[in-house]
Amino acid sequence: MPSKSQPEVVIRAATPADSSICGQICYDAFSTLSAKHGFPCDFPGPEVAICILSMLFSSPGFYCVVAESEGRIVGSNGLDERSMIAGIGPITIDPAAQNLGVGRKLMQAVMDRANERHPAGMRLVQAAYHNRSLALYASLGFDVREPLSCIQGRPRERNVPGCAVRPAQPADLDACNALSRRVHGFDRGTELAQAIQQNTAIVVERAGRITGYATVLAFFGHATAETNLDMQSLIASAESFGGSGILLPSRNTSLLRWCLANGLHVVQPMTLMTIGLYNEPSGAWFPSVLF
Ligand SMILES: CC(C)(COP(=O)(O)OP(=O)(O)OC[C@H]1O[C@@H](n2cnc3c(N)ncnc32)[C@H](O)[C@@H]1OP(=O)(O)O)[C@@H](O)C(=O)NCCC(=O)NCCS
């Protein structure tokens, strides 16, 4: 029986009509958390969080859920179902309802849904300074895989000799997907095709072939490249990075040093956590904030 301090929580599928309430909760949860730890908020204001959740709640590639307690929405979570790896997040709970078990229920709901489709694995990116989310995800079975540095700024170097960056075209999909399979063991072709359609994706060519791509150089985008040189050319082509920044695997210290030497700064530490299939990537890569 639920106790008085833990009223019954009902989990249901999210609808686009839930976006405003959930976006406000998402902003409140992240701004409260980041202010407490002295980090900048991942969202400049509630409107951006509302806009992102409204896209996720209406996208066929995502399964999203909300938690209700006493008839009121108290949190939400999402599941990216666009590839053979399921990506989880963003999960946020109303600050007034945190640490009462709602987050665990919202995680279990999307993990149950993911398991119905037998994905090769599940992944998420965690705010490394948050003890509670680390404890929650670890206790649900997620392993710590990779420390990430969220990086922001305008690179001083504007291009890398021998590398040419250009917008990605639909005809580039096969080469990019083949590159992703070589580096990660799987591709994210649906996500990349959507990014090409939205005109955010870029590719780098070296010696006459595609050696790297990014869906968008941003918090919500991922990038994969054969070598650090190819990744440097993608980074150098950007004026800045969308959202809080790009997520650079911190153990790729030579790329991190190149970023620092180019005037970029570290915004916050994050952690990639995974369940199931995981291959050590054989190339340069940035996950998105989902995975
Ligand atoms: C992170 C978040 C989603 C978790 O949801 P929640 O409802 O607060 O968490 P829950 O109560 O379901 O679970 C927290 C668990 O961590 C445990 N925990 C909390 N702090 C802990 C600590 N310092 N050490 C060990 N365990 C800890 C709790 O005991 C609980 O475990 P239990 O279920 O075994 O009792 C929520 O706090 C939130 O929205 N935070 C701000 C935004 C955010 O960080 N989102 C996630 C981004 S990665």
Side-chain angles (χ1 to χ4, degrees):
M1 281 287 285
S3 72
K4 256 194 171 166
S5 59
Q6 290 169 300
E8 195 185 340
V9 173
V10 176
I11 307 293
R12 63 162 172 85
T15 72
D18 300 320
S19 315
S20 327
I21 293 173
C22 293
Q24 183 67 52
I25 288 175
C26 180
Y27 175 72
D28 292 344
F30 277 114
S31 56
T32 308
L33 172 73
S34 53
K36 207 164 164 183
H37 292 80
F39 284 93
C41 184
D42 288 331
F43 300 99
E47 341 43 65
V48 176
I50 292 170
C51 178
I52 289 171
L53 290 193
S54 137
M55 278 191 293
L56 300 189
F57 288 3
S58 51
S59 162
F62 282 79
Y63 172 74
C64 299
V65 284
V66 300
E68 284 180 328
S69 173
E70 299 178 320
R72 192 173 65 85
I73 292 178
V74 290
S76 66
N77 198 5
L79 180 72
D80 181 350
E81 303 187 307
R82 291 175 295 175
S83 82
M84 61 183 270
I85 299 291
I88 295 179
I91 176 170
T92 49
I93 315 298
D94 183 334
Q98 288 180 7
N99 220 11
L100 295 172
V102 181
R104 182 175 290 277
K105 288 196 172 71
L106 281 172
M107 284 299 294
Q108 201 58 64
V110 296
M111 291 171 73
D112 288 348
R113 159 79 176 203
N115 278 326
E116 284 169 19
R117 296 172 168 229
H118 310 292
M122 299 181 211
R123 300 185 189 179
L124 56 82
V125 169
Q126 182 255 346
Y129 59 82
H130 193 16
N131 298 342
R132 189 187 304 152
S133 60
L134 174 68
L136 175 62
Y137 304 149
S139 68
L140 284 165
F142 283 86
D143 292 326
V144 168
R145 280 296 175 192
E146 191 73 42
L148 305 166
S149 294
C150 179
I151 302 279
Q152 189 53 277
R154 182 181 189 274
R156 274 192 209 107
E157 239 176 83
R158 303 308 298 149
N159 56 61
V160 171
C163 296
V165 177
R166 61 164 174 81
Q169 309 294 333
D172 301 324
L173 252 182
D174 285 350
C176 294
N177 289 340
L179 171 65
S180 178
R181 287 192 292 272
R182 284 201 301 281
V183 173
H184 295 287
F186 65 98
D187 68 60
R188 298 168 77 160
T190 305
E191 196 177 337
L192 178 58
Q194 287 169 348
I196 292 174
Q197 207 176 14
Q198 289 157 7
N199 294 316
T200 62
I202 52 175
V203 294
V204 49
E205 287 179 312
R206 180 166 51 81
R209 59 195 185 82
I210 289 178
T211 49
Y213 77 88
T215 52
V216 55
L217 284 171
F219 209 45
F220 275 89
H222 74 271
T224 299
E226 264 183 28
T227 66
N228 278 351
L229 195 74
D230 302 307
M231 194 60 98
Q232 284 162 12
S233 72
L234 291 173
I235 298 171
S237 73
E239 286 299 322
S240 69
F241 311 115
S244 295
I246 46 175
L247 296 172
L248 190 152
S250 309
R251 292 185 306 148
N252 188 346
T253 329
S254 62
L255 186 57
L256 177 59
R257 273 193 285 269
W258 181 89
C259 288
L260 300 175
N262 268 280
L264 304 181
H265 61 274
V266 179
V267 178
Q268 59 179 322
M270 303 195 83
T271 306
L272 176 68
M273 299 183 77
T274 70
I275 284 180
L277 176 89
Y278 188 80
N279 303 81
E280 186 69 28
S282 56
W285 59 288
F286 297 158
S288 72
V289 73
L290 290 181
F291 73 95

